[in-house]
């Protein structure tokens, strides 16, 4: 098998880096570099910019590249495309296989099949190419790449000046790619393509198309070890909304003989042919402030891909800033897209709450629900239903517990089924979550726990669609696109219920994505709170307990109690209801939510709670869009 060590990714004959350019000597970039990048689509730098995410990519490359190559070599039988499905790229099945292996190793790397190599003589694909994405690894707190609000550090001022000469484009940039390309030995050149298509049917071309001399999506590319130069080829000036059909057949040339190449993602380009060894090029793709709403516009990008992006802190302007470039072609002024609300700075409190929830799995709200959240009509509905019907529910369950005799399945399951039949006219159903468990060996199940669902009652009350969430709650739970503005749903609402004198609940996670990794998102948030004044949630949580529901003895020593009026919980994190006192019944109001990415995972298949999508009982309640 060919060696896959980093020093094998380039041929010895590759050009070496040149002396530093003005970008490296001065805090202002060379205007010639700007002109080349924004009018021709590419430029070269003599050194890779000093920016922590780029350093992180190098570290991860050295750690994982050889292992990924070994995995790809081991599944060569999966390299070919699927003749029966032309939409399946060469290497796509291999990418899925390798990604699953990396997921089991918690690598935070996702491998995908890119535009394949291309045989110009036959016009057919001649073999696969891949991309190893580090976005998931980068957004974990341990990576050192993101701050407590989940943002990357600002790009160096001189690089910001090169990429974003238009005022305001450095205000709220994003990172959409970080990783490296993977190309097998003896590969032909890649198919000519643009990474992002600028024009699309149905879009207002004057508003959303690329403006002359104003690039918005840019790639930074460099070779591992920074000792050789990338060999990417380009059709200079061939932006896909400006070029004619013959540009697709135009001669390609090597972009630049430079240690680092910066090119516009909307220009036609391709990866060059490879030599005798596996080859790789490290890349990062940055999106300007005005480019972000253009990328989000429907049809331009798969909404799933928008989940894998990271915000970048605003870049400071250099002291001698070069103003907006003049285009070489005459053009009348066009309207710029308005910044979307999602790009506006979120409150520090919302950022801090989301960071803790996504990283630790829980956030205690000691003072209870914030006033803006408590005013949500859904909260008010749960509290009114609890006040009106809690006693009747408890009496119904208690009566059946006394008459059922033998329990079926989980403790209390038969009593829950009988109570549900009696309460159905009210739109109330009773379910049995994981039961209580003895704290003494052999730690047997010791009694029932219940969940009182009023989802059907809410469906009737709200006419099939719940009112919009308070913006501050939605921004706390889901700051990323498309979770923030995609359709959200409620898995359930009602209250958790336990008999008095019960042992603690079995340690568990409610559900987790078996076929769709979590990737740092809070897909299934759970809001718990106490209605009577002076009472506190006592739910116990294993911080960072994202273990796909599996627990070990050490987890019990890590348990912490909420001891707060309200609690935000990630349902994928290990937790349990605490032991109850002598009171007859103990309850906590509850709303279980599902984000856009949670819905995708739900449809792909979840562990723990496994839905029967054909059963109306599992139907989620949609939530109307933001007000």
């Amino acid at each position: 098998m060919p060696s896959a060590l980093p020093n094998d990714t380039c041929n010895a004959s590759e050009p070496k880096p040149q002396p530093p350019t003005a970008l490296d000597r001065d805090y202002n970039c060379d205007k010639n570099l700007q002109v080349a990048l924004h009018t021709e689509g590419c430029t070269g730098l003599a050194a890779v910019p000093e920016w922590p995410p780029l350093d992180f990519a190098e570290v991860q490359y050295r750690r994982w590249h050889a292992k990924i190559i070994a995995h790809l070599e081991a599944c060569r039988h999966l390299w070919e495309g699927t003749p029966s499905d032309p939409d399946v790229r060469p290497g796509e099945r291999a990418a899925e296989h390798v990604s699953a292996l990396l997921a089991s190793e918690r690598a935070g790397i996702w491998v995908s099949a890119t535009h394949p190599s291309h045989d110009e003589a036959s016009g057919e694909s001649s073999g696969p190419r891949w991309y190893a994405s580090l976005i998931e690894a980068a957004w974990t707190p341990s990576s050192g790449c993101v701050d407590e609000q989940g943002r990357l550090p600002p790009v160096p001022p001189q690089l910001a000046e090169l990429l974003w000469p238009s005022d305001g484009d450095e205000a709220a940039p994003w990172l959409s790619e970080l990783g490296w390309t993977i190309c097998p030995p003896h590969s032909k050149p890649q198919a000519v393509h643009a990474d992002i298509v600028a024009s699309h049917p149905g879009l207002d071309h004057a508003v959303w198309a690329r403006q002359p001399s104003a690039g918005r999506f840019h790639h930074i590319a460099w070779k591992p070890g920074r000792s050789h130069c990338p060999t990417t080829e380009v059709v200079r000036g061939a932006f896909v909304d400006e070029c004619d059909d013959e540009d697709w057949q135009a001669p390609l040339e090597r972009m630049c003989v430079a240690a680092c190449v910066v090119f516009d993602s909307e220009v036609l380009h391709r990866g060059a042919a490879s030599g005798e060894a596996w080859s790789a090029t490290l890349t990062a793709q940055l999106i300007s402030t005005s480019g972000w709403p253009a990328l989000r516009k429907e049809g331009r990008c798969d909404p799933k891909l928008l989940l894998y992006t990271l915000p970048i802190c605003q870049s400071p302007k250099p002291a001698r800033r070069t103003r907006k470039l003049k285009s070489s072609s005459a053009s009348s002024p066009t309207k710029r897209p308005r910044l979307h609300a999602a790009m506006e700075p979120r409150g520090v409190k919302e950022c801090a709450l989301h960071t803790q929830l996504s990283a630790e799995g829980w956030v205690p709200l000691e003072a209870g629900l914030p006033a803006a959240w408590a005013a949500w009509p859904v909260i008010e509905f749960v509290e009114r239903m609890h006040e009106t019907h809690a006693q009747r529910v408890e009496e119904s369950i208690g009566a059946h517990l006394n008459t059922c005799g033998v329990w079926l399945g989980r403790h209390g399951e038969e009593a829950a089924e009988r109570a549900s039949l009696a309460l159905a006219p009210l739109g109330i159903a009773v379910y049995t979550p994981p039961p209580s468990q003895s704290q003494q060996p052999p730690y047997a199940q010791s009694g029932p726990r219940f969940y009182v669902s009023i989802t059907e009652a809410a469906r009737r009350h709200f006419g099939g669609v719940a009112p919009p969430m308070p913006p501050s709650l939605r921004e706390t739970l889901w700051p990323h696109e498309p979770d923030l503005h995609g359709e959200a749903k409620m898995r359930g609402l009602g209250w958790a219920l336990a008999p008095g004198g019960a042992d603690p609940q079995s340690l568990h996670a409610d559900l987790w994505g078996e076929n769709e990794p979590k990737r740092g998102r809070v897909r299934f948030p759970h809001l718990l709170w106490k209605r009577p004044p002076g009472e506190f949630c006592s739910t116990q949580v294993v911080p960072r307990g994202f273990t796909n529901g599996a627990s070990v003895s050490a987890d019990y020593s890590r348990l912490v109690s909420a001891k707060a009026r309200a609690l935000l919980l990630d349902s994928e994190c290990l937790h349990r209801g605490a032991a109850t006192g002598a009171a007859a019944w103990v309850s906590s109001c509850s709303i279980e939510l599902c984000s856009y990415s949670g819905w995708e995972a739900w449809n792909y298949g979840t562990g723990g709670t496994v839905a029967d999508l054909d059963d109306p009982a599992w139907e989620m309640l949609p939530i109307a869009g933001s007000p």
Side-chain angles (χ1 to χ4, degrees), residues 210-285:
R210 183 185 187 276
Q211 305 302 313
S213 304
R216 48 201 178 168
F217 316 114
H218 292 104
H219 262 94
I220 302 171
W222 74 101
K223 284 292 184 181
R226 310 185 183 193
S227 58
H228 292 84
C229 304
T231 57
T232 310
E233 298 172 339
V234 66
V235 181
R236 291 185 181 271
F239 302 104
V240 292
D241 65 328
E242 300 172 359
C243 66
D244 298 322
D245 290 342
E246 56 264 24
D247 283 321
W248 293 90
Q249 305 299 326
L252 288 102
E253 57 179 297
R254 184 167 179 169
M255 281 190 175
C256 303
V257 180
C260 179
V261 169
V262 183
F263 65 95
D264 194 308
S265 303
E266 297 182 77
V267 77
L268 295 177
H269 63 278
R270 72 179 183 185
S274 64
E276 297 181 356
W278 285 84
S279 65
T281 300
L282 289 150
T283 76
Q285 181 174 253

Side-chain angles (χ1 to χ4, degrees), residues 151-166:
R151 303 173 303 174
L152 295 169
V155 303
Q158 61 271 40
L159 178 59
E161 177 72 1
L162 173 67
L163 299 178
W164 308 312
S166 298

